[in-house]
Amino acid sequence: MAPINMNACRLEHVSRSYRMGEDLVHALDDVCAEFKQGSFWAIMGSSGAGKSSLLNILGCLDRPSSGRYFVGSQDITALSDDELSQLRLSRLGFIFQSFHLIPGLNVQENIALPMFYKNIGDDLSQERAEELADLVGLSDRLNHRPNELSGGQQQRVAVARALANDPDILLADEPTGNLDSNTSRQVMELLARLNGQGKTILMVTHELEIAAYAHRRLIMADGRIERVE
Amino acid sequence: MQLVREVKLGLKNLLLHGMRSLLTMLGMVFGVGSVVAMLAVGEGASKDALEQILLLGSNNIIITSVKPADGGGANSRGTTFLSMYGLLFKDAERLEQGFDTITKTVPVRIFRKEARVGGQALEARVVGSTPEWFSLVSRPLLAGRILLAQDFDQGRNVVVLTETVARRLLVGKEAIGSWVRIGTNVFKVVGVVQAGTMRDSTVQGLDEQIDVYMPLSTLRQRFGDLVVRRSAGSRERELVELHQILVQVRDINEVEVTSRAIKAMLARFHQKNDYHLQVPLALLKQAEETKHRFNIVLGSIAAISLLVGGIGIMNIMLASVTERTREIGIRRAIGATRKQITSQFLIETVVLSTSGGGLGLVLGVALPWLISNMTGIPTVVTISSLVLSLGISMVVGIVFGLYPAMRAARLDPIHALRHE
């Protein structure tokens, strides 16, 4: 097991700017942060503060314009597109606001999808998908299509999918944004439970009640970290 | 392993949009279907032609007398003309003795004469030849026997009839042993043979259906060498010693050389161009050449129809990539590499085009069957045409799937995820 105080990931003077027409937009401006292994963070801020840009970089979907980003001890700045994919596949798990399940696949196949890309055999991945479905309380819905499930159920499938390759870090982008308060609570309790089992969780949200599940808060404004609580 | 799963996934995605997939495939279905069907018709036609030619014997050379353009240098005697032309007994002798490569020489005389049995009459084609004739020309025996050496040597009054002649002249009678009157003589029927194929052939014509075969010696004794033909007020007399000489060559590789040598020999002894050489082997080569050209034309049509089918597929796949942008974003976020996305869409396209090709094969086999059954035109569906078509439809899938697949793989995951 990794030492308790090790970083799950770390940002070093990360900036990200886009060119929009003639203007250069600074979405992130010299951000430095460390996220300890097993921590549970809520990333907050008004819209346009740079939350999504930050999450994209944390999730290795985007690269910093300048500065460096480490996942564990690995500097991702130098990695190729394939290596980034590999990193996302093995070490990161995504949970999106609108669930983003694949409509043509049933629950079990959606959960097993990351294992498909990791080339894990059918038998093993089926077994693991069933375990994960059981973990999120959906073992009786394995053959259902996403459109046959409620929002809360869909999000639980998404969580199960994020766990498929047993990643270190879960990245959640407004995971309860499309859910009512009751199902929101279920999903957040699930995330809290996973955090208790050692997963690092980085969650973007603007709801205080949801942020309350996290142990730490990172508040962004104008592409900078305003304060850390 | 991975490939099997991806093919399964591809099939699943296609079944998900069954109707659309089917419509997309139609181009391939009709493309492949028409190619297989056209090949089958072409193959049938050329096989038919080849069979006809092979019936003449690929080792054989057929030399036929032809009336020269000036009417054979007719000697004018009042209103009757005597034309003298054509092959001579001497030619047959020279062929028999002068060529190492020739194993058999069969002289043939042919003329038309009325054959009669009781009240039944028929304008028959009387063919006089040596018994070896039957070993060079395929005439399956139906009853009795063919002509023998003794018939020839003794100049017996015996004939072999074709099935058609026997049926028309000897209605309800036992053919073997019956007597047939031809001209002023009567002949005993000793055998009945089947006359070639029932289909009309450009090489031998339908005449062979009404053949009456007799020994050449008998024919010369009974009818002489002079043929008198009555035409519009005048009588035309022809003196033709032999109408045909069939030659069998020892080896198929010697056919060409021998035919050239025969031509040279005949040219030396004949002042007029009163003969014609038919070399089935040359016809065979010509038929194969024709088939080759036909195949090129077919290939071009096939290429165009498959191009159209392929473009249709590419069009739908591009639409599918756009429609599934978000799915691609999700897959990329989860950790799929560009290569994996490319192969997913490529395999989907190949599965689509190959399924279309498969349905096309069914169509391509059913169509010739229908054509054969309804029109009687022979068709032959070859295994190689099926394998080729299926292979080509796979290649079409790869060629036309590559661009949409690469476009899918090049999508930026962040933008793709936000795509509605």
Side-chain angles (χ1 to χ4, degrees):
Chain A
M1 219 33 222
I4 286 298
N5 264 353
M6 212 172 141
N7 286 327
C9 52
R10 177 160 55 95
L11 297 159
E12 272 183 10
H13 303 287
V14 166
S15 297
R16 181 71 174 101
S17 45
Y18 310 93
R19 188 169 287 282
M20 284 184 77
E22 303 246 310
D23 304 322
L24 203 61
V25 180
H26 296 279
L28 292 176
D29 189 7
D30 198 29
V31 174
C32 294
E34 286 181 358
F35 303 95
K36 291 269 179 289
Q37 215 154 51
S39 56
F40 191 165
W41 288 80
I43 298 166
M44 306 191 69
S46 53
S47 74
K51 303 187 298 281
S52 294
S53 300
L54 183 64
L55 200 72
N56 284 341
I57 292 207
L58 289 172
C60 295
L61 288 170
D62 198 8
R63 294 165 199 262
S65 306
S66 67
R68 301 209 287 171
Y69 172 49
F70 295 85
V71 174
S73 54
Q74 176 129 51
D75 183 0
I76 69 120
T77 331
L79 295 185
S80 70
D81 191 81
D82 278 3
E83 287 166 322
L84 282 184
S85 299
Q86 200 54 45
L87 195 76
R88 288 199 295 271
L89 187 61
S90 306
R91 302 184 62 178
L92 305 173
F94 284 91
I95 300 155
F96 302 96
Q97 177 174 2
S98 44
F99 326 130
H100 282 352
L101 299 177
I102 293 181
L105 305 180
N106 65 23
V107 167
Q108 188 223 310
E109 290 161 333
N110 262 293
I111 296 175
L113 195 60
M115 293 185 269
F116 173 79
Y117 287 121
K118 218 181 173 185
N119 232 337
I120 290 170
D122 277 344
D123 293 344
L124 193 64
S125 86
Q126 187 170 350
E127 197 180 310
R128 175 133 176 85
E130 281 166 18
E131 270 172 40
L132 288 166
D134 194 39
L135 181 78
V136 299
L138 288 169
S139 44
D140 55 338
R141 294 282 196 280
L142 281 173
N143 294 316
H144 286 57
R145 289 281 167 86
N147 60 7
E148 296 162 350
L149 301 176
S150 71
Q153 288 171 326
Q154 287 190 51
Q155 195 60 302
R156 272 142 62 200
V157 174
V159 172
R161 179 180 67 185
L163 293 169
N165 287 331
D166 196 21
D168 312 321
I169 306 170
L170 292 180
L171 297 144
D173 187 2
E174 306 256 14
T176 59
N178 286 6
L179 302 176
D180 61 39
S181 57
N182 200 25
T183 47
S184 290
R185 209 176 55 239
Q186 283 178 17
V187 168
M188 288 318 295
E189 276 164 8
L190 177 60
L191 288 181
R193 187 144 52 92
L194 292 170
N195 177 243
Q197 289 164 9
K199 302 282 180 213
T200 308
I201 299 180
L202 309 177
M203 173 180 69
V204 167
T205 183
H206 60 265
E207 293 171 78
L208 281 170
E209 302 155 52
I210 298 302
Y213 284 91
H215 304 137
R216 311 285 312 266
R217 260 181 267 179
L218 188 147
I219 291 114
M220 308 242 347
D222 292 331
R224 288 167 175 275
I225 297 177
E226 197 181 59
R227 64 179 192 280
V228 176
E229 293 172 354
Chain B
M1 185 60 207
Q2 187 76 1
L3 189 70
V4 173
R5 289 160 73 180
E6 289 196 53
V7 169
K8 269 198 234 160
L9 196 76
L11 266 174
K12 210 171 146 167
N13 265 321
L14 295 183
L15 290 175
L16 209 64
H17 309 282
M19 193 61 195
R20 188 170 76 179
S21 302
L22 198 71
L23 288 174
T24 310
M25 278 185 232
L26 275 187
M28 292 301 294
V29 174
F30 289 126
V32 168
S34 57
V35 169
V36 173
M38 281 193 288
L39 279 175
V41 173
E43 193 68 31
S46 74
K47 195 183 160 216
D48 210 31
L50 292 187
E51 266 173 11
Q52 299 285 341
I53 292 166
L54 283 175
L55 212 62
L56 298 176
S58 49
N59 270 24
N60 297 353
I61 296 172
I62 300 158
I63 313 162
T64 313
S65 294
V66 180
K67 194 171 183 173
D70 62 359
N75 303 328
S76 177
R77 282 191 206 158
T79 52
T80 57
F81 293 91
L82 176 67
S83 345
M84 282 169 59
Y85 66 91
L87 300 162
L88 309 168
F89 287 103
K90 202 85 183 123
D91 289 327
E93 235 167 80
R94 279 190 283 252
L95 286 169
E96 185 132 41
Q97 286 156 12
F99 293 82
D100 295 343
T101 54
I102 294 175
T103 48
K104 277 178 194 162
T105 307
V106 180
V108 186
R109 272 185 65 79
I110 302 170
F111 56 82
R112 286 176 173 273
K113 203 91 188 172
E114 191 190 59
R116 175 178 289 278
V117 176
Q120 305 289 329
L122 170 77
E123 171 93 349
R125 193 175 80 148
V126 180
V127 178
S129 188
T130 57
E132 276 179 330
W133 194 87
F134 287 94
S135 67
L136 287 197
V137 182
S138 160
R139 290 285 181 274
L141 190 66
L142 294 176
R145 60 173 178 87
I146 56 171
L147 299 174
L148 304 172
Q150 300 93 282
D151 299 327
F152 186 77
D153 295 341
Q154 298 167 18
R156 285 181 187 159
N157 277 7
V158 290
V159 289
V160 169
L161 306 181
T162 58
E163 200 186 352
T164 316
V165 175
R167 199 175 293 140
R168 283 217 234 151
L169 289 182
L170 302 159
V171 202
K173 284 182 210 154
E174 177 59 42
I176 310 301
S178 296
W179 293 88
V180 176
R181 177 179 290 277
I182 298 170
T184 51
N185 297 287
V186 284
F187 298 86
K188 190 179 182 185
V189 177
V190 294
V192 176
V193 293
Q194 195 183 320
T197 51
M198 291 303 286
R199 241 174 273 127
D200 62 329
S201 125
T202 48
V203 188
Q204 288 217 310
L206 277 164
D207 283 356
E208 64 191 29
Q209 299 290 335
I210 48 159
D211 276 355
V212 171
Y213 306 104
M214 68 173 71
L216 185 57
S217 51
T218 313
L219 182 135
R220 290 190 72 194
Q221 281 168 30
R222 304 287 173 246
F223 300 98
D225 290 340
L226 200 65
V227 177
V228 180
R229 193 187 285 164
R230 291 182 179 82
S231 60
S234 70
R235 291 202 303 166
E236 196 181 349
R237 297 186 301 161
E238 279 185 350
L239 190 63
V240 179
E241 289 189 11
L242 288 174
H243 293 90
Q244 227 172 38
I245 302 175
L246 305 181
V247 171
Q248 188 183 53
V249 181
R250 188 172 53 195
D251 190 283
I252 197 160
N253 295 316
E254 292 167 341
V255 169
E256 218 182 311
V257 184
T258 310
S259 77
R260 254 186 280 131
I262 292 174
K263 257 185 207 161
M265 186 275 281
L266 288 174
R268 193 138 46 88
F269 292 101
H270 289 249
Q271 271 88 43
K272 293 171 287 189
N273 190 16
D274 53 359
Y275 55 87
H276 171 69
L277 240 73
Q278 233 178 11
V279 187
L281 189 69
L283 293 176
L284 197 73
K285 283 184 175 156
Q286 211 178 339
E288 271 163 4
E289 173 69 15
T290 309
K291 187 186 164 191
H292 182 63
R293 281 188 201 176
F294 187 61
N295 280 348
I296 289 176
V297 173
L298 272 187
S300 315
I301 297 171
I304 292 169
S305 65
L306 291 173
L307 186 77
V308 172
I311 290 171
I313 286 181
M314 180 155 82
N315 193 13
I316 293 293
M317 287 314 286
L318 283 173
S320 172
V321 167
T322 306
E323 188 189 276
R324 287 157 67 189
T325 298
R326 203 158 72 153
E327 177 191 323
I328 294 161
I330 297 166
R331 287 176 187 271
R332 291 280 281 136
I334 282 172
T337 59
R338 286 196 171 134
K339 230 174 84 188
Q340 284 168 324
I341 298 290
T342 307
S343 82
Q344 181 197 335
F345 278 88
L346 197 57
I347 284 169
E348 222 168 276
T349 319
V350 171
V351 168
L352 190 68
S353 70
T354 311
S355 312
L359 286 182
L361 287 193
V362 176
L363 187 74
V365 171
L367 220 55
W369 183 79
L370 264 179
I371 291 173
S372 282
N373 272 356
M374 289 172 69
T375 64
I377 295 172
T379 56
V380 179
V381 178
T382 60
I383 297 292
S384 64
S385 76
L386 298 185
V387 173
L388 187 77
S389 305
L390 209 59
I392 286 176
S393 51
M394 273 172 106
V395 171
V396 165
I398 292 170
V399 169
F400 290 95
L402 208 55
Y403 176 61
M406 277 164 59
R407 232 167 92 150
R410 273 206 301 267
L411 288 172
D412 174 31
I414 299 170
H415 286 127
L417 275 171
R418 262 190 234 129
H419 191 267
E420 283 308 314

